[in-house]
Amino acid sequence: MPKQIAIYGKGGIGKSTTTSNLSAALSDLGYSVMQIGCDPKNDSTTTLRKGKSIPTVLDTVRKRSGDLDNLVHEGYNGIHCIEAGGPEPGVGCAGRGIIAAIELLNTNGIIEEYNPDIIIYDVLGDVVCGGFAMPIRKGIADQVYTVTSSDYMAIYAVNNLFKGILKYSNNGGALLGGVIGNSIKSTLQEDMIKDFTNETNSDVIQFVPRSPTVTRCELDGVTTIEGAPDSTQAEVYRELARKVIANKNKFLPTPFDNDDLSDWASGWINQLLLNEKIEKDNIQKESSGI
């Protein structure tokens, strides 16, 4: 049986960037990887395919096409790329679309045909409705990871995800493998995320620093693993891949109530703002004689 993991995160937080680099790093380690994009934007796998998009599962369903072989496309280093897709704009529910797409893949034996070692579901984490929660509540994933920054709304989305994990845990739902801190610029941001995981009975598996290397590679339509394989940032993603393979942790998180989360965050946000002001003042002071 393949190792199946689901990676959640607030839109725009770098979830798909992290997922694609993780897939690329795992493939470089010798694993056969399948990445399934579960975001209606259909952009999960583009950097694995030189910036090119692929037909989605739901597009195939809408066209009543029987060509199911066209759902899986080869990406970097042989990674199997699938995009679940979403409804037409203004019509239908994206979450229900995810359910339909995953069920079609499973009932037609498409995943078994390719027999990957690892399957990664890249899932939008702003909301945890029935569709987006499917990898959790159906027990499809062995582990769940979530990507966050020190931004309050990103952590708010993580806390909501924890509520979903807790809700479905009694029915065989997937448990948490860990938190990935992304776009990190300071140790204070790391401390904030660590404190959140301590308060919610979870843990950080890796911090990923903010890096212009990632931006440059994405502009070229590739992952950092492919575009800058010798960079420090690429090694960070390789380290994350090694940790994911070795990780046996399955946490049952204890999320904050909304009011308690707000109270907890207010103190940290004040510290972050003060720290940014001090850094800015120091830069201006040091450069004043130039």
Side-chain angles (χ1 to χ4, degrees), residues 208-246:
V208 179
R210 186 176 183 87
S211 171
T213 303
V214 177
T215 304
R216 287 197 300 269
C217 290
E218 290 194 328
L219 288 173
D220 290 334
V222 296
T223 62
T224 303
I225 293 292
E226 180 178 2
D230 298 325
S231 66
T232 301
Q233 191 75 4
E235 184 54 34
V236 170
Y237 290 124
R238 292 190 193 99
E239 183 181 357
L240 173 60
R242 290 188 288 267
K243 287 181 177 178
V244 166
I245 289 298

Side-chain angles (χ1 to χ4, degrees), residues 148-228:
T148 188
S149 68
S150 60
D151 177 74
Y152 173 69
M153 291 310 298
I155 290 177
Y156 183 90
V158 172
N159 197 65
N160 274 348
L161 174 65
F162 286 1
K163 292 178 181 179
I165 293 174
L166 187 62
K167 177 179 176 63
Y168 296 117
S169 61
N170 290 330
N171 296 317
L175 299 182
L176 181 73
V179 174
I180 302 168
N182 191 47
S183 196
I184 302 300
K185 297 185 292 183
S186 71
T187 55
L188 188 59
Q189 290 178 332
E190 292 184 1
D191 290 343
M192 179 183 182
I193 296 172
K194 285 179 182 176
D195 189 49
F196 172 77
T197 60
N198 288 337
E199 293 288 338
T200 55
N201 191 33
S202 54
D203 197 16
V204 178
I205 187 170
Q206 178 83 350
F207 286 112
V208 179
R210 186 176 183 87
S211 171
T213 303
V214 177
T215 304
R216 287 197 300 269
C217 290
E218 290 194 328
L219 288 173
D220 290 334
V222 296
T223 62
T224 303
I225 293 292
E226 180 178 2

Side-chain angles (χ1 to χ4, degrees), residues 50 76 126 144 154 215 228 281 287:
K50 306 290 187 182
Y76 168 77
D126 289 85
V144 175
T215 304
D281 289 346
S287 63

Side-chain angles (χ1 to χ4, degrees), residues 72-92:
V72 184
H73 295 260
E74 185 173 335
Y76 168 77
N77 205 20
I79 294 172
H80 309 302
C81 301
I82 300 175
E83 292 283 355
E88 296 178 2
V91 180

